[in-house]
Amino acid sequence: MGSNKSLLMLPGDGIGPEVMGQVRCVIDWFGDRRSVGFDIKEGLVGGCAYEAHGVAVTDEVVDDAMNADAVLLGAVGGPQWDNLDFSLKPERGLLRLRKDLDLFANLRPAICFDALVDASSLKPEVVRGLDILIVRELTGGVYFGEPRGIENLPDGTRRGVNTQVYTSPEIERVAKVAFELAGKRSGKVCSAEKANVMESGILWREEVQKVHDAEFPNIELSHMYADNCAMQLVRAPKQFDVIVTDNLFGDMLSDEAAMLTGSLGMLPSASLGAADATGRRKALYEPVHGSAPDIAGEGVANPIASLLSFAMALRYSFDLSDDADLIENAIKNVLEGGLRTADIMQTGKTRVSTIVMGEAIISELDKLAA
Ligand code: IPM
Ligand code: MG
């Protein structure tokens, strides 16, 4: 014990606190059983932060996030905040954290567990063994581009504006992350943009190709229009290994990829900044699913995406691959044993609550570590 690894936990809104409660139990298990201890701080982000402080995230929480070795986030948002001014909406808290910590590389793995092959809406042979990684640019593009806004025109109509903008360094740094990760996988990268209609897409394609030719000639690089990529993902997803794409296309393609695996409730993510002199990166880990207000508070949410996000934190921020493997194997075994939360329920399986799923994963950890 006594390590000084620091974690900031931001459960957020909706099902966030429920799924993060299970992460907390697994963290405690690692402290007790594996002597992997963390200094944990908690904070508010999203609608709950707005209720308490009138903003979606306070400067203090942003500072805590800057100083933590890793941030674990649940989810933000809910219908009760839909009519707030845009600058106060829960999502602004998450977007500010991504931007202020400069977390430009968002890793979204989509892995189909064998036990869940039939939970996918696609045919089993299309998804069996699926293991792809979407690398989404996270701090640029139309999410942050200026000018932006809604204006009233003299003729009484209105005009809404957002700007899709990328610079070459922004493209280069995320492309490098994708190539490096592909080097540790099957060595294939597909870059997705809309170079047929957008100048920013032409730049994207050219810069990705340049990084490839200069530094990663051994990686197999292909380029695809993002709409075609969306289609190919449901037609033959196993043709892909790493997909690198911009902020908005990455948002959409990663939801689509999530569903290939059976449920949005299964997909973790890591958002990473640039490596400092010691190789350390600022990092935020969160499930890809949102706050799911329709089931919040019912105790039925799937905690697996959050637990897999914690496993990613162990792997990428703390270099604890064996411990990350342990969580992933425990989850795999529990799914093989037939337990299912509502989102991945199949006939003949046993439907369980968030807490029972978390407890089953911990008993499996006990067995694996025995
Ligand atoms: C995601 C979410 C966010 C996004 C929202 C909550 C701001 O959809 O992380 O994919 O659009 O990036
Ligand atoms: Mg999204």
Side-chain angles (χ1 to χ4, degrees):
M1 287 291 284
S3 97
N4 55 0
K5 298 184 206 34
S6 63
L7 279 180
L8 175 67
M9 297 187 74
L10 303 173
D13 308 319
I15 59 171
E18 295 163 58
V19 293
M20 290 292 271
Q22 298 312 305
V23 174
R24 191 60 192 254
C25 296
V26 167
I27 293 175
D28 291 344
W29 182 90
F30 273 91
D32 294 344
R33 297 290 309 272
R34 303 276 290 179
S35 301
V36 179
F38 294 93
D39 295 334
I40 297 179
K41 224 173 171 174
E42 278 216 25
L44 299 178
V45 67
C48 58
Y50 171 77
E51 299 301 338
H53 303 292
V55 284
V57 66
T58 59
D59 294 346
E60 194 190 339
V61 168
V62 174
D63 275 350
D64 287 343
M66 291 271 189
N67 295 324
D69 290 321
V71 181
L72 302 180
L73 191 137
V76 296
Q80 63 271 53
W81 301 294
D82 275 355
N83 296 322
L84 280 184
D85 183 72
F86 188 71
S87 64
L88 299 173
K89 282 192 191 289
E91 291 77 10
R92 302 312 303 171
L94 173 58
L95 294 170
R96 179 172 169 202
L97 283 170
R98 290 175 180 171
K99 190 70 178 175
D100 285 11
L101 273 66
D102 202 15
L103 305 172
F104 64 90
N106 182 216
L107 281 40
R108 298 190 160 187
I111 293 170
C112 188
F113 286 88
D114 279 344
L116 293 187
V117 162
D118 295 314
S120 173
S121 47
L122 296 187
K123 295 193 190 95
E125 61 271 25
V126 176
V127 295
R128 185 174 288 112
L130 181 79
D131 178 358
I132 61 183
L133 176 65
I134 297 189
V135 179
R136 167 188 177 193
E137 199 289 328
L138 202 61
T139 52
V142 74
Y143 271 60
F144 296 97
E146 300 280 347
R148 63 186 299 159
I150 300 179
E151 59 183 345
N152 294 313
L153 299 178
D155 68 356
T157 60
R158 298 195 301 157
R159 183 168 179 261
V161 179
N162 288 93
T163 303
Q164 164 78 339
V165 53
Y166 273 106
T167 61
S168 47
E170 285 177 312
I171 301 168
E172 268 164 33
R173 63 183 186 170
V174 73
K176 274 186 194 169
V177 170
F179 288 127
E180 276 160 15
L181 290 166
K184 296 179 192 156
R185 299 168 52 99
S186 78
K188 258 189 352 194
V189 171
C190 175
S191 168
E193 32 53 19
K194 284 286 288 177
N196 50 347
V197 283
M198 296 159 88
E199 283 79 0
S200 62
I202 296 176
L203 187 79
W204 183 280
R205 185 175 283 224
E206 289 176 357
E207 295 300 324
V208 170
Q209 187 68 49
K210 269 194 219 161
V211 173
H212 170 268
D213 297 350
E215 294 181 50
F216 302 93
N218 297 329
I219 301 286
E220 184 187 324
L221 170 65
S222 59
H223 301 276
M224 207 179 259
Y225 297 138
D227 53 344
N228 184 24
C229 183
M231 184 273 278
Q232 296 294 340
L233 267 176
V234 286
R235 192 187 71 86
K238 285 186 269 184
Q239 70 185 283
F240 297 108
D241 184 36
V242 174
I243 296 175
V244 63
T245 190
D246 78 10
N247 205 343
L248 183 61
F249 296 141
D251 182 46
M252 295 188 283
L253 294 176
S254 61
D255 265 31
E256 190 190 3
M259 217 41 222
L260 302 174
T261 71
S263 167
L264 206 46
M266 297 295 298
L267 237 78
S269 82
S271 304
L272 307 176
D276 67 14
T278 66
R280 180 178 166 268
R281 294 173 186 269
K282 289 203 173 52
L284 181 148
Y285 300 87
E286 57 175 320
V288 171
H289 65 67
S291 57
D294 52 323
I295 56 163
E298 289 176 19
V300 298
N302 186 349
I304 292 180
S306 285
L307 292 169
L308 290 172
S309 299
F310 175 59
M312 288 186 90
L314 294 175
R315 199 180 296 286
Y316 291 104
S317 287
F318 303 112
D319 219 4
L320 294 169
S321 302
D322 291 349
D323 296 288
D325 289 345
L326 210 56
I327 297 182
E328 289 165 5
N329 288 331
I331 289 171
K332 188 170 142 260
N333 293 352
V334 166
L335 291 173
E336 267 156 25
L339 298 193
R340 300 285 186 272
T341 43
D343 56 308
I344 48 176
M345 186 55 193
Q346 297 159 278
T347 35
K349 305 295 179 194
T350 311
R351 182 173 163 164
V352 296
S353 66
T354 310
I355 291 179
V356 171
M357 179 57 90
E359 285 168 352
I361 291 168
I362 289 191
S363 337
E364 197 56 41
L365 284 169
D366 279 333
K367 280 188 220 152
L368 291 173

PDB file of all heavy atoms in Angstrom, residues 75-77 90-92 94-95 98 106 108 136 138 143 247-248 250-252 254-255 269 286-291, ligand 1:
ATOM      1  N   ALA A  75     -21.006   9.955 -16.149  1.00  0.00           N
ATOM      2  CA  ALA A  75     -21.757  10.468 -17.301  1.00  0.00           C
ATOM      3  C   ALA A  75     -22.333  11.827 -16.917  1.00  0.00           C
ATOM      4  O   ALA A  75     -22.473  12.118 -15.733  1.00  0.00           O
ATOM      5  CB  ALA A  75     -22.887   9.509 -17.653  1.00  0.00           C
ATOM      6  N   VAL A  76     -22.661  12.628 -17.908  1.00  0.00           N
ATOM      7  CA  VAL A  76     -23.277  13.928 -17.626  1.00  0.00           C
ATOM      8  C   VAL A  76     -24.543  14.116 -18.460  1.00  0.00           C
ATOM      9  O   VAL A  76     -24.680  13.556 -19.535  1.00  0.00           O
ATOM     10  CB  VAL A  76     -22.322  15.119 -17.928  1.00  0.00           C
ATOM     11  CG1 VAL A  76     -21.104  15.086 -17.021  1.00  0.00           C
ATOM     12  CG2 VAL A  76     -21.910  15.141 -19.398  1.00  0.00           C
ATOM     13  N   GLY A  77     -25.474  14.924 -17.912  1.00  0.00           N
ATOM     14  CA  GLY A  77     -26.651  15.318 -18.682  1.00  0.00           C
ATOM     15  C   GLY A  77     -27.946  14.699 -18.190  1.00  0.00           C
ATOM     16  O   GLY A  77     -27.945  13.728 -17.427  1.00  0.00           O
ATOM     17  N   PRO A  90     -24.900  20.650 -18.867  1.00  0.00           N
ATOM     18  CA  PRO A  90     -24.006  19.657 -18.259  1.00  0.00           C
ATOM     19  C   PRO A  90     -22.843  19.259 -19.171  1.00  0.00           C
ATOM     20  O   PRO A  90     -21.705  19.104 -18.715  1.00  0.00           O
ATOM     21  CB  PRO A  90     -24.932  18.458 -18.021  1.00  0.00           C
ATOM     22  CG  PRO A  90     -26.310  19.014 -17.936  1.00  0.00           C
ATOM     23  CD  PRO A  90     -26.330  20.264 -18.760  1.00  0.00           C
ATOM     24  N   GLU A  91     -23.120  19.096 -20.474  1.00  0.00           N
ATOM     25  CA  GLU A  91     -22.086  18.657 -21.425  1.00  0.00           C
ATOM     26  C   GLU A  91     -20.904  19.623 -21.467  1.00  0.00           C
ATOM     27  O   GLU A  91     -19.775  19.227 -21.766  1.00  0.00           O
ATOM     28  CB  GLU A  91     -22.672  18.539 -22.841  1.00  0.00           C
ATOM     29  CG  GLU A  91     -23.669  17.403 -23.027  1.00  0.00           C
ATOM     30  CD  GLU A  91     -25.061  17.697 -22.446  1.00  0.00           C
ATOM     31  OE1 GLU A  91     -25.330  18.854 -22.052  1.00  0.00           O
ATOM     32  OE2 GLU A  91     -25.874  16.744 -22.375  1.00  0.00           O
ATOM     33  N   ARG A  92     -21.173  20.908 -21.165  1.00  0.00           N
ATOM     34  CA  ARG A  92     -20.076  21.890 -21.204  1.00  0.00           C
ATOM     35  C   ARG A  92     -19.005  21.537 -20.175  1.00  0.00           C
ATOM     36  O   ARG A  92     -17.834  21.867 -20.354  1.00  0.00           O
ATOM     37  CB  ARG A  92     -20.566  23.333 -20.967  1.00  0.00           C
ATOM     38  CG  ARG A  92     -21.613  23.873 -21.913  1.00  0.00           C
ATOM     39  CD  ARG A  92     -21.349  23.682 -23.384  1.00  0.00           C
ATOM     40  NE  ARG A  92     -20.092  24.233 -23.870  1.00  0.00           N
ATOM     41  CZ  ARG A  92     -19.602  24.010 -25.088  1.00  0.00           C
ATOM     42  NH1 ARG A  92     -20.265  23.235 -25.933  1.00  0.00           N
ATOM     43  NH2 ARG A  92     -18.464  24.532 -25.453  1.00  0.00           N
ATOM     44  N   LEU A  94     -17.980  18.522 -19.260  1.00  0.00           N
ATOM     45  CA  LEU A  94     -17.139  17.472 -19.833  1.00  0.00           C
ATOM     46  C   LEU A  94     -16.254  18.053 -20.940  1.00  0.00           C
ATOM     47  O   LEU A  94     -15.048  17.775 -21.010  1.00  0.00           O
ATOM     48  CB  LEU A  94     -18.037  16.358 -20.382  1.00  0.00           C
ATOM     49  CG  LEU A  94     -17.376  15.245 -21.166  1.00  0.00           C
ATOM     50  CD1 LEU A  94     -16.322  14.548 -20.320  1.00  0.00           C
ATOM     51  CD2 LEU A  94     -18.429  14.222 -21.621  1.00  0.00           C
ATOM     52  N   LEU A  95     -16.857  18.893 -21.790  1.00  0.00           N
ATOM     53  CA  LEU A  95     -16.088  19.466 -22.907  1.00  0.00           C
ATOM     54  C   LEU A  95     -14.980  20.377 -22.378  1.00  0.00           C
ATOM     55  O   LEU A  95     -13.879  20.418 -22.919  1.00  0.00           O
ATOM     56  CB  LEU A  95     -17.019  20.213 -23.874  1.00  0.00           C
ATOM     57  CG  LEU A  95     -18.010  19.280 -24.601  1.00  0.00           C
ATOM     58  CD1 LEU A  95     -19.068  20.076 -25.353  1.00  0.00           C
ATOM     59  CD2 LEU A  95     -17.287  18.342 -25.574  1.00  0.00           C
ATOM     60  N   ARG A  98     -12.103  18.158 -21.200  1.00  0.00           N
ATOM     61  CA  ARG A  98     -11.331  17.643 -22.337  1.00  0.00           C
ATOM     62  C   ARG A  98     -10.420  18.731 -22.901  1.00  0.00           C
ATOM     63  O   ARG A  98      -9.250  18.475 -23.194  1.00  0.00           O
ATOM     64  CB  ARG A  98     -12.289  17.170 -23.446  1.00  0.00           C
ATOM     65  CG  ARG A  98     -13.061  15.915 -23.097  1.00  0.00           C
ATOM     66  CD  ARG A  98     -14.068  15.599 -24.206  1.00  0.00           C
ATOM     67  NE  ARG A  98     -14.839  14.383 -23.913  1.00  0.00           N
ATOM     68  CZ  ARG A  98     -15.884  13.981 -24.627  1.00  0.00           C
ATOM     69  NH1 ARG A  98     -16.303  14.683 -25.663  1.00  0.00           N
ATOM     70  NH2 ARG A  98     -16.504  12.864 -24.312  1.00  0.00           N
ATOM     71  N   ASN A 106      -8.757  10.304 -28.117  1.00  0.00           N
ATOM     72  CA  ASN A 106      -9.800   9.541 -27.445  1.00  0.00           C
ATOM     73  C   ASN A 106      -9.820   8.118 -28.010  1.00  0.00           C
ATOM     74  O   ASN A 106     -10.085   7.906 -29.189  1.00  0.00           O
ATOM     75  CB  ASN A 106     -11.135  10.254 -27.690  1.00  0.00           C
ATOM     76  CG  ASN A 106     -12.320   9.598 -27.021  1.00  0.00           C
ATOM     77  OD1 ASN A 106     -13.416   9.568 -27.553  1.00  0.00           O
ATOM     78  ND2 ASN A 106     -12.129   9.063 -25.826  1.00  0.00           N
ATOM     79  N   ARG A 108     -11.375   4.510 -28.204  1.00  0.00           N
ATOM     80  CA  ARG A 108     -12.641   3.819 -27.965  1.00  0.00           C
ATOM     81  C   ARG A 108     -12.586   2.417 -28.560  1.00  0.00           C
ATOM     82  O   ARG A 108     -12.905   2.210 -29.724  1.00  0.00           O
ATOM     83  CB  ARG A 108     -13.795   4.625 -28.559  1.00  0.00           C
ATOM     84  CG  ARG A 108     -13.912   5.994 -27.907  1.00  0.00           C
ATOM     85  CD  ARG A 108     -15.166   6.752 -28.264  1.00  0.00           C
ATOM     86  NE  ARG A 108     -15.413   7.781 -27.264  1.00  0.00           N
ATOM     87  CZ  ARG A 108     -16.491   8.535 -27.190  1.00  0.00           C
ATOM     88  NH1 ARG A 108     -17.456   8.372 -28.067  1.00  0.00           N
ATOM     89  NH2 ARG A 108     -16.625   9.432 -26.243  1.00  0.00           N
ATOM     90  N   ARG A 136     -10.392   8.810 -31.788  1.00  0.00           N
ATOM     91  CA  ARG A 136     -11.163  10.000 -32.135  1.00  0.00           C
ATOM     92  C   ARG A 136     -10.407  11.242 -31.676  1.00  0.00           C
ATOM     93  O   ARG A 136     -10.006  11.326 -30.510  1.00  0.00           O
ATOM     94  CB  ARG A 136     -12.525   9.908 -31.422  1.00  0.00           C
ATOM     95  CG  ARG A 136     -13.329  11.186 -31.413  1.00  0.00           C
ATOM     96  CD  ARG A 136     -14.575  11.043 -30.523  1.00  0.00           C
ATOM     97  NE  ARG A 136     -15.309  12.290 -30.457  1.00  0.00           N
ATOM     98  CZ  ARG A 136     -16.280  12.558 -29.582  1.00  0.00           C
ATOM     99  NH1 ARG A 136     -16.652  11.641 -28.701  1.00  0.00           N
ATOM    100  NH2 ARG A 136     -16.885  13.726 -29.579  1.00  0.00           N
ATOM    101  N   LEU A 138     -10.235  14.744 -30.134  1.00  0.00           N
ATOM    102  CA  LEU A 138     -11.223  15.127 -29.114  1.00  0.00           C
ATOM    103  C   LEU A 138     -11.223  16.605 -28.709  1.00  0.00           C
ATOM    104  O   LEU A 138     -12.062  17.025 -27.940  1.00  0.00           O
ATOM    105  CB  LEU A 138     -11.000  14.250 -27.866  1.00  0.00           C
ATOM    106  CG  LEU A 138     -12.173  14.099 -26.910  1.00  0.00           C
ATOM    107  CD1 LEU A 138     -13.381  13.458 -27.565  1.00  0.00           C
ATOM    108  CD2 LEU A 138     -11.771  13.303 -25.674  1.00  0.00           C
ATOM    109  N   TYR A 143     -16.562  20.767 -32.800  1.00  0.00           N
ATOM    110  CA  TYR A 143     -16.953  20.897 -31.395  1.00  0.00           C
ATOM    111  C   TYR A 143     -16.455  22.213 -30.786  1.00  0.00           C
ATOM    112  O   TYR A 143     -17.036  22.720 -29.837  1.00  0.00           O
ATOM    113  CB  TYR A 143     -16.377  19.729 -30.571  1.00  0.00           C
ATOM    114  CG  TYR A 143     -17.270  18.518 -30.497  1.00  0.00           C
ATOM    115  CD1 TYR A 143     -17.656  17.852 -31.647  1.00  0.00           C
ATOM    116  CD2 TYR A 143     -17.721  18.031 -29.272  1.00  0.00           C
ATOM    117  CE1 TYR A 143     -18.461  16.736 -31.582  1.00  0.00           C
ATOM    118  CE2 TYR A 143     -18.528  16.917 -29.190  1.00  0.00           C
ATOM    119  CZ  TYR A 143     -18.897  16.269 -30.354  1.00  0.00           C
ATOM    120  OH  TYR A 143     -19.696  15.163 -30.278  1.00  0.00           O
ATOM    121  N   ASN A 247     -13.299  14.709 -34.537  1.00  0.00           N
ATOM    122  CA  ASN A 247     -14.131  14.746 -33.335  1.00  0.00           C
ATOM    123  C   ASN A 247     -15.581  14.339 -33.620  1.00  0.00           C
ATOM    124  O   ASN A 247     -16.126  13.442 -32.958  1.00  0.00           O
ATOM    125  CB  ASN A 247     -14.052  16.174 -32.754  1.00  0.00           C
ATOM    126  CG  ASN A 247     -14.342  16.213 -31.267  1.00  0.00           C
ATOM    127  OD1 ASN A 247     -14.892  15.279 -30.712  1.00  0.00           O
ATOM    128  ND2 ASN A 247     -13.977  17.303 -30.625  1.00  0.00           N
ATOM    129  N   LEU A 248     -16.198  14.942 -34.615  1.00  0.00           N
ATOM    130  CA  LEU A 248     -17.619  14.667 -34.874  1.00  0.00           C
ATOM    131  C   LEU A 248     -17.829  13.290 -35.508  1.00  0.00           C
ATOM    132  O   LEU A 248     -18.702  12.533 -35.085  1.00  0.00           O
ATOM    133  CB  LEU A 248     -18.203  15.760 -35.778  1.00  0.00           C
ATOM    134  CG  LEU A 248     -19.701  15.638 -36.066  1.00  0.00           C
ATOM    135  CD1 LEU A 248     -20.520  15.717 -34.782  1.00  0.00           C
ATOM    136  CD2 LEU A 248     -20.159  16.727 -37.028  1.00  0.00           C
ATOM    137  N   GLY A 250     -15.916  10.822 -35.200  1.00  0.00           N
ATOM    138  CA  GLY A 250     -15.552   9.861 -34.159  1.00  0.00           C
ATOM    139  C   GLY A 250     -16.676   9.670 -33.158  1.00  0.00           C
ATOM    140  O   GLY A 250     -16.894   8.568 -32.647  1.00  0.00           O
ATOM    141  N   ASP A 251     -17.395  10.741 -32.869  1.00  0.00           N
ATOM    142  CA  ASP A 251     -18.537  10.647 -31.960  1.00  0.00           C
ATOM    143  C   ASP A 251     -19.559   9.677 -32.542  1.00  0.00           C
ATOM    144  O   ASP A 251     -20.051   8.779 -31.855  1.00  0.00           O
ATOM    145  CB  ASP A 251     -19.153  12.043 -31.786  1.00  0.00           C
ATOM    146  CG  ASP A 251     -20.320  12.035 -30.820  1.00  0.00           C
ATOM    147  OD1 ASP A 251     -20.196  11.421 -29.746  1.00  0.00           O
ATOM    148  OD2 ASP A 251     -21.358  12.644 -31.147  1.00  0.00           O
ATOM    149  N   MET A 252     -19.836   9.821 -33.822  1.00  0.00           N
ATOM    150  CA  MET A 252     -20.880   8.998 -34.438  1.00  0.00           C
ATOM    151  C   MET A 252     -20.398   7.572 -34.697  1.00  0.00           C
ATOM    152  O   MET A 252     -21.103   6.603 -34.402  1.00  0.00           O
ATOM    153  CB  MET A 252     -21.341   9.665 -35.724  1.00  0.00           C
ATOM    154  CG  MET A 252     -22.018  10.985 -35.404  1.00  0.00           C
ATOM    155  SD  MET A 252     -22.796  11.749 -36.803  1.00  0.00           S
ATOM    156  CE  MET A 252     -21.410  12.401 -37.629  1.00  0.00           C
ATOM    157  N   SER A 254     -18.182   5.914 -33.211  1.00  0.00           N
ATOM    158  CA  SER A 254     -17.960   5.117 -32.002  1.00  0.00           C
ATOM    159  C   SER A 254     -19.278   4.638 -31.386  1.00  0.00           C
ATOM    160  O   SER A 254     -19.331   3.546 -30.827  1.00  0.00           O
ATOM    161  CB  SER A 254     -17.096   5.859 -30.979  1.00  0.00           C
ATOM    162  OG  SER A 254     -17.714   7.046 -30.556  1.00  0.00           O
ATOM    163  N   ASP A 255     -20.344   5.403 -31.504  1.00  0.00           N
ATOM    164  CA  ASP A 255     -21.646   4.884 -31.061  1.00  0.00           C
ATOM    165  C   ASP A 255     -22.046   3.700 -31.930  1.00  0.00           C
ATOM    166  O   ASP A 255     -22.572   2.689 -31.449  1.00  0.00           O
ATOM    167  CB  ASP A 255     -22.748   5.957 -31.166  1.00  0.00           C
ATOM    168  CG  ASP A 255     -22.980   6.694 -29.854  1.00  0.00           C
ATOM    169  OD1 ASP A 255     -22.007   6.840 -29.083  1.00  0.00           O
ATOM    170  OD2 ASP A 255     -24.122   7.128 -29.604  1.00  0.00           O
ATOM    171  N   SER A 269     -13.743   4.095 -22.606  1.00  0.00           N
ATOM    172  CA  SER A 269     -12.903   4.982 -23.404  1.00  0.00           C
ATOM    173  C   SER A 269     -11.830   5.611 -22.538  1.00  0.00           C
ATOM    174  O   SER A 269     -11.972   5.716 -21.315  1.00  0.00           O
ATOM    175  CB  SER A 269     -13.737   6.074 -24.079  1.00  0.00           C
ATOM    176  OG  SER A 269     -13.992   7.138 -23.196  1.00  0.00           O
ATOM    177  N   GLU A 286     -13.756   7.232 -19.259  1.00  0.00           N
ATOM    178  CA  GLU A 286     -15.213   7.286 -19.088  1.00  0.00           C
ATOM    179  C   GLU A 286     -15.880   6.260 -19.994  1.00  0.00           C
ATOM    180  O   GLU A 286     -15.369   5.940 -21.061  1.00  0.00           O
ATOM    181  CB  GLU A 286     -15.754   8.685 -19.411  1.00  0.00           C
ATOM    182  CG  GLU A 286     -15.395   9.130 -20.813  1.00  0.00           C
ATOM    183  CD  GLU A 286     -15.997  10.473 -21.236  1.00  0.00           C
ATOM    184  OE1 GLU A 286     -17.156  10.740 -20.906  1.00  0.00           O
ATOM    185  OE2 GLU A 286     -15.289  11.220 -21.936  1.00  0.00           O
ATOM    186  N   PRO A 287     -17.049   5.756 -19.562  1.00  0.00           N
ATOM    187  CA  PRO A 287     -17.810   4.883 -20.455  1.00  0.00           C
ATOM    188  C   PRO A 287     -18.323   5.699 -21.634  1.00  0.00           C
ATOM    189  O   PRO A 287     -18.557   6.906 -21.498  1.00  0.00           O
ATOM    190  CB  PRO A 287     -18.971   4.408 -19.573  1.00  0.00           C
ATOM    191  CG  PRO A 287     -19.100   5.443 -18.499  1.00  0.00           C
ATOM    192  CD  PRO A 287     -17.727   5.995 -18.273  1.00  0.00           C
ATOM    193  N   VAL A 288     -18.520   5.047 -22.778  1.00  0.00           N
ATOM    194  CA  VAL A 288     -19.036   5.767 -23.952  1.00  0.00           C
ATOM    195  C   VAL A 288     -20.532   6.060 -23.798  1.00  0.00           C
ATOM    196  O   VAL A 288     -21.042   7.041 -24.319  1.00  0.00           O
ATOM    197  CB  VAL A 288     -18.752   4.960 -25.244  1.00  0.00           C
ATOM    198  CG1 VAL A 288     -19.457   5.557 -26.450  1.00  0.00           C
ATOM    199  CG2 VAL A 288     -17.240   4.898 -25.508  1.00  0.00           C
ATOM    200  N   HIS A 289     -21.247   5.213 -23.024  1.00  0.00           N
ATOM    201  CA  HIS A 289     -22.681   5.470 -22.839  1.00  0.00           C
ATOM    202  C   HIS A 289     -22.877   6.768 -22.077  1.00  0.00           C
ATOM    203  O   HIS A 289     -21.988   7.243 -21.374  1.00  0.00           O
ATOM    204  CB  HIS A 289     -23.363   4.307 -22.107  1.00  0.00           C
ATOM    205  CG  HIS A 289     -22.895   4.094 -20.688  1.00  0.00           C
ATOM    206  ND1 HIS A 289     -23.120   4.994 -19.677  1.00  0.00           N
ATOM    207  CD2 HIS A 289     -22.201   3.076 -20.126  1.00  0.00           C
ATOM    208  CE1 HIS A 289     -22.606   4.526 -18.547  1.00  0.00           C
ATOM    209  NE2 HIS A 289     -22.025   3.368 -18.792  1.00  0.00           N
ATOM    210  N   GLY A 290     -24.045   7.337 -22.217  1.00  0.00           N
ATOM    211  CA  GLY A 290     -24.346   8.593 -21.528  1.00  0.00           C
ATOM    212  C   GLY A 290     -25.000   8.347 -20.181  1.00  0.00           C
ATOM    213  O   GLY A 290     -24.825   7.284 -19.567  1.00  0.00           O
ATOM    214  N   SER A 291     -25.779   9.349 -19.732  1.00  0.00           N
ATOM    215  CA  SER A 291     -26.331   9.316 -18.379  1.00  0.00           C
ATOM    216  C   SER A 291     -27.618   8.488 -18.301  1.00  0.00           C
ATOM    217  O   SER A 291     -28.113   8.239 -17.205  1.00  0.00           O
ATOM    218  CB  SER A 291     -26.590  10.747 -17.916  1.00  0.00           C
ATOM    219  OG  SER A 291     -27.459  11.383 -18.838  1.00  0.00           O
TER     220      SER A 291
HETATM  221  C1  IPM B   1     -19.397  11.284 -26.164  1.00  0.00           C
HETATM  222  C2  IPM B   1     -20.631  12.117 -25.884  1.00  0.00           C
HETATM  223  C3  IPM B   1     -20.211  13.570 -25.734  1.00  0.00           C
HETATM  224  C4  IPM B   1     -19.681  14.030 -27.073  1.00  0.00           C
HETATM  225  C5  IPM B   1     -21.304  14.507 -25.195  1.00  0.00           C
HETATM  226  C6  IPM B   1     -21.871  14.027 -23.883  1.00  0.00           C
HETATM  227  C7  IPM B   1     -20.799  15.928 -25.070  1.00  0.00           C
HETATM  228  O1  IPM B   1     -21.590  11.908 -26.866  1.00  0.00           O
HETATM  229  O2  IPM B   1     -18.454  11.338 -25.355  1.00  0.00           O
HETATM  230  O3  IPM B   1     -19.390  10.586 -27.185  1.00  0.00           O
HETATM  231  O4  IPM B   1     -20.446  14.428 -27.965  1.00  0.00           O
HETATM  232  O5  IPM B   1     -18.461  13.990 -27.245  1.00  0.00           O
END
